[in-house]
Amino acid sequence: MRRTPPIRVLSRVLGIAAAILLLAACADTTADSPQGTAGCEAYQQYGTFKDKKVSLYSGIVAPEDEPHMKSYKNFERCTGIQVEFQGEKEFDTQVQVRIKGGNPPDLAIFAQPGLVKQLVETGKAVQAPDPVVANVKKFWSESWQGYVTVNGKIYGAPLGANVKSFVWYSPKEFKAKGYTVPKTLDELKTLSEKIAATGQKPWCVGIGSGDATGWPVTDWMEDMMLRLSGPKAYDDWVNHTIPFNGPEATGALDAVGEYLKNPAFVNGGLGDVKSVASTQFQDAGLPILQGQCNLHRQGSFYAQNWPAGTDVSPEGDIYAFYFPSKDDTTKPVLGGGEFVVAFSDRPEVQAFQTFLASDMWANEKVASTPGGGWISANTGMDASKLTNPIDKLSAQILQDPKSVFRYDGSDQMPGAVGTNAFWKQGTNWVTGQSTKATLDAIEAAWPK
């Protein structure tokens, strides 16, 4: 019986292995490279391009930039468009420098609708093409459409979103003590009084934030403005159509004072009323875990502040409920978000802009962010795919037909007001300044 020499056997084995590896490499290249077309049927609507590049500029930086870039990997592979993404911490300043210097990006992601309108008024931004407009009208509410509309024309599309109208609490504690999640402002006050009657201060609050100390007061006041005076008055106040120190604003800040300046309500586990100004906002909600307070008003992003291992869920150590309205007929929601605006109308730019305005991209972004921390107000986003409980709750609120969304007011006001006087005077108010003196000082800061 003839035997094959060992070396020849080894070479055959290696040859077969090499062939298998080569086939696998080819298959992998087909699946992941820009030349691959497998599974690209859904992307045919955006066209096919060769050697085309689109620049995208943003304030999104590591580690959030990785899932963002991953979200359009299939778009690049199927269309042939290469997206050149650049994230920069100084985006707000540098994007204006680039635009004024004649070197704008093809697309930019903005977090301030006021800046979007400002750049549109310079004539540098490009009006959104019809497919983008169609997506915006299909997938976003009228309030969201308004943030990308200038003089009746749509200049971009919303992207991500966040909810600020939250109150954090402990579901386990509520169950043990028989507390019920309030559905109205009156019920919220009644719950606070019930807890205070036990000798515990129900609320824990902190507005410390370095140079930005005071900004949590602005969120409290904006939430109250929306609930007590309605979205129309809120818009007029933000745009200074009505004065900052008018009766609507006075009523809102006084309503906040019933919580933040009430020694029976604050500051559980942290001190007295004056401790509100000295407590860092990142630390303010933590006494809930020690049973030293029960309620903490802060946005969805605060989910990242709970210690590792904290059970953040509807039956867990920590969860959140919607900051209630006056009644159950409407659901005003305070929050923030992002907006994509173009500075070029090249076909490949419009194709990518249209994709970012689609339900397809919103769901790709959810898939590329398995750890959670990102949602959109895009009604085509499949909320069932969200894995983070707070993301699910945020999406449920944003997609509720009763919800009336309004963007953070201080982020829309002139810098001298929204990120200066409002913060500083809000801090002075917490530490003893009257409502009238506070609002008069902010009104005086409004640019003439």
Side-chain angles (χ1 to χ4, degrees):
M1 180 176 179
R2 185 177 179 181
R3 299 179 61 184
T4 304
I7 294 178
R8 189 174 300 174
V9 172
L10 179 62
S11 65
R12 285 180 181 176
V13 171
L14 291 175
I16 293 171
I20 292 173
L21 289 173
L22 180 60
L23 288 172
C26 290
D28 186 61
T29 299
T30 302
D32 293 333
S33 72
Q35 288 74 35
T37 58
C40 286
E41 293 80 6
Y43 293 87
Q44 292 177 356
Q45 60 183 302
Y46 302 109
T48 303
F49 301 82
K50 184 178 181 181
D51 300 327
K52 297 296 183 181
K53 297 179 179 180
V54 173
S55 61
L56 176 62
Y57 192 39
S58 168
I60 302 172
V61 297
E64 289 80 9
D65 57 349
E66 290 186 13
H68 184 81
M69 290 184 283
K70 185 178 178 181
S71 70
Y72 46 77
K73 183 178 180 181
N74 284 331
F75 174 87
E76 292 180 292
R77 176 175 66 85
C78 293
T79 63
I81 295 173
Q82 179 182 344
V83 179
E84 297 180 330
F85 177 83
Q86 181 183 358
E88 188 169 356
K89 290 183 178 179
E90 302 301 323
F91 166 82
D92 291 344
T93 300
Q94 292 304 314
V95 71
Q96 297 180 70
V97 171
R98 287 184 56 176
I99 291 170
K100 291 178 181 177
N103 182 37
D106 294 326
L107 293 166
I109 301 174
F110 297 92
Q112 297 90 8
L115 182 54
V116 171
K117 290 179 170 59
Q118 178 182 325
L119 293 175
V120 167
E121 290 169 356
T122 68
K124 303 295 185 180
V126 176
Q127 187 176 339
D130 289 344
V132 171
V133 172
N135 279 346
V136 171
K137 291 184 176 180
K138 180 178 181 180
F139 297 118
W140 276 277
S141 67
E142 289 186 7
S143 55
W144 278 96
Q145 293 175 33
Y147 296 123
V148 289
T149 301
V150 182
N151 297 325
K153 298 178 180 179
I154 291 178
Y155 279 84
L159 203 67
N162 61 70
V163 173
K164 293 193 172 187
S165 299
F166 274 145
V167 177
W168 295 87
Y169 74 111
S170 170
K172 288 182 178 179
E173 182 196 33
F174 268 46
K175 182 178 181 180
K177 296 183 176 180
Y179 298 149
T180 302
V181 170
K183 303 297 183 183
T184 66
L185 280 179
D186 286 343
E187 290 181 8
L188 181 65
K189 178 64 70 64
T190 299
L191 173 63
S192 301
E193 292 170 344
K194 180 178 181 179
I195 296 172
T198 69
Q200 175 156 302
K201 297 177 180 179
W203 290 87
C204 36
V205 186
I207 66 170
S209 185
D211 292 341
T213 292
W215 69 259
V217 174
T218 73
D219 285 359
W220 266 93
M221 184 176 176
E222 289 157 7
D223 254 333
M224 284 298 188
M225 276 288 293
L226 273 174
R227 282 151 181 76
L228 299 181
S229 297
K232 173 62 167 59
Y234 178 87
D235 294 341
D236 290 342
W237 177 66
V238 168
N239 296 319
H240 208 221
T241 303
I242 60 176
F244 201 102
N245 56 351
E248 300 87 355
T250 300
L253 191 55
D254 280 344
V256 176
E258 293 179 11
Y259 291 91
L260 302 196
K261 300 182 79 168
N262 185 340
F265 282 8
V266 296
N267 198 13
L270 298 166
D272 57 12
V273 171
K274 290 184 178 179
S275 71
V276 169
S278 59
T279 300
Q280 295 299 299
F281 81 90
Q282 298 96 327
D283 302 326
L286 302 183
I288 295 176
L289 292 173
Q290 281 73 50
Q292 297 173 320
C293 69
N294 317 80
L295 305 165
H296 177 62
R297 188 226 159 274
Q298 193 52 272
S300 57
F301 75 91
Y302 199 79
Q304 310 303 317
N305 287 71
W306 302 109
T310 302
D311 180 3
V312 182
S313 68
E315 290 82 33
D317 303 320
I318 292 292
Y319 197 49
F321 61 79
Y322 165 73
F323 190 92
S325 185
K326 288 196 298 184
D327 54 53
D328 195 36
T329 59
T330 61
K331 184 174 283 188
V333 180
L334 180 72
E338 303 159 333
F339 310 90
V340 180
V341 177
F343 298 90
S344 168
D345 59 0
R346 302 195 315 275
E348 60 270 24
V349 175
Q350 293 189 348
F352 186 46
Q353 188 182 14
T354 302
F355 173 62
L356 292 177
S358 70
D359 56 337
M360 183 187 301
W361 177 80
N363 289 306
E364 288 277 7
K365 183 63 170 66
V366 170
S368 71
T369 318
W374 184 91
I375 61 166
S376 174
N378 185 319
T379 58
M381 183 192 72
D382 186 354
S384 69
K385 303 292 184 176
L386 297 170
T387 57
N388 182 297
I390 295 299
D391 290 348
K392 290 182 177 181
L393 179 60
S394 298
Q396 177 185 335
I397 290 173
L398 289 172
Q399 294 184 354
D400 188 328
K402 293 182 181 179
S403 293
V404 178
F405 182 90
R406 283 298 183 270
Y407 208 90
D408 182 287
S410 60
D411 284 346
Q412 300 182 72
M413 295 172 184
V417 179
T419 57
N420 192 330
F422 203 170
W423 291 350
K424 293 177 180 177
Q425 297 302 324
T427 302
N428 293 340
W429 172 78
V430 165
T431 55
Q433 183 171 272
S434 70
T435 294
K436 184 178 188 307
T438 298
L439 297 181
D440 286 350
I442 301 173
E443 172 64 22
W446 203 281
K448 300 297 187 287

